[in-house]
Amino acid sequence: MRLHTQQKRSEGMIDSLAHALLDAAREQAEKSWNEGGIPIGAALAHMDGTIVSRGHNLRVQTGDPTAHAEMVCIRNAGRRRDWSELAMATTLSPCQMCSGAACLLELKRLIIGENQTFQGAEHWLEEHGIHVTVINDPRCVELMKRMQKEQPDLWLEDIGG
């Protein structure tokens, strides 16, 4: 577990918003897996918990290499002016592309389901003023380990390669 994760846990940063939003993201990850895709999901919400949009990885389903769960979720939210008031949950630590989009839009908070199977650009997000909470939810970890076991070529193509 990374130091910043331990600090955030001790500060009580894992709250009901984080868990509710992560549950919505995890439902999206399961949806993608059931469609034959990569089991990563995301959800975007106001700080009061009102969900604005959801998305799941559609890279396999659409053949679009940019259709990561976070990007799909952002696209589903449409044009808005309140990005800096929103929080996003994603089941897996975000890659550089998705982290860049979060920074560009100035999201307020990013909740990460797990970073054990893949470590994204978390420190970079924090350096750009986004509050990062890593939960390391066993259900999110299990989804990615299942993908590694059952679809190793897909894992290597998209995440592990």
Side-chain angles (χ1 to χ4, degrees):
M1 184 182 304
R2 301 188 59 86
L3 177 61
H4 73 281
T5 303
Q6 291 170 341
Q7 288 171 340
K8 289 193 183 341
R9 282 187 178 193
S10 66
E11 294 168 6
M13 298 309 299
I14 301 174
D15 56 24
S16 60
L17 171 66
H19 284 291
L21 203 50
L22 184 58
D23 285 345
R26 204 182 79 261
E27 288 173 8
Q28 290 294 304
E30 297 270 1
K31 181 177 181 180
S32 185
W33 184 250
N34 291 335
E35 292 173 358
I38 297 164
I40 302 172
L44 190 64
H46 287 281
M47 298 308 287
D48 69 1
T50 305
I51 294 179
V52 170
S53 68
R54 305 166 203 259
H56 58 280
N57 190 298
L58 291 170
R59 216 179 61 72
V60 172
Q61 297 93 314
T62 64
D64 178 355
T66 67
H68 291 202
E70 301 89 345
M71 301 301 289
V72 172
C73 185
I74 288 168
R75 286 182 196 128
N76 289 343
R79 290 183 59 197
R80 19 184 1 102
R81 296 181 180 194
D82 62 349
W83 292 106
S84 64
E85 300 169 20
L86 302 177
M88 178 181 278
T90 179
T91 56
L92 184 65
S93 186
C95 71
Q96 294 89 338
M97 176 180 66
C98 297
S99 295
C103 289
L104 177 69
L105 298 171
E106 299 178 348
L107 294 180
K108 185 173 191 169
R109 183 172 182 194
L110 191 71
I111 299 137
I112 298 171
E114 73 102 346
N115 67 357
Q116 295 175 12
T117 60
F118 174 78
Q119 177 77 48
E122 295 165 25
H123 285 293
W124 189 75
L125 289 162
E126 290 174 329
E127 289 170 10
H128 285 83
I130 296 177
H131 178 82
V132 176
T133 303
V134 179
I135 294 177
N136 277 321
D137 183 299
R139 298 167 298 177
C140 294
V141 174
E142 180 54 36
L143 275 171
M144 297 318 295
K145 287 188 175 182
R146 182 176 175 193
M147 180 184 166
Q148 288 173 327
K149 180 181 176 186
E150 295 179 17
Q151 297 283 339
D153 290 341
L154 186 57
W155 169 264
L156 290 172
E157 175 188 331
D158 188 62
I159 301 164

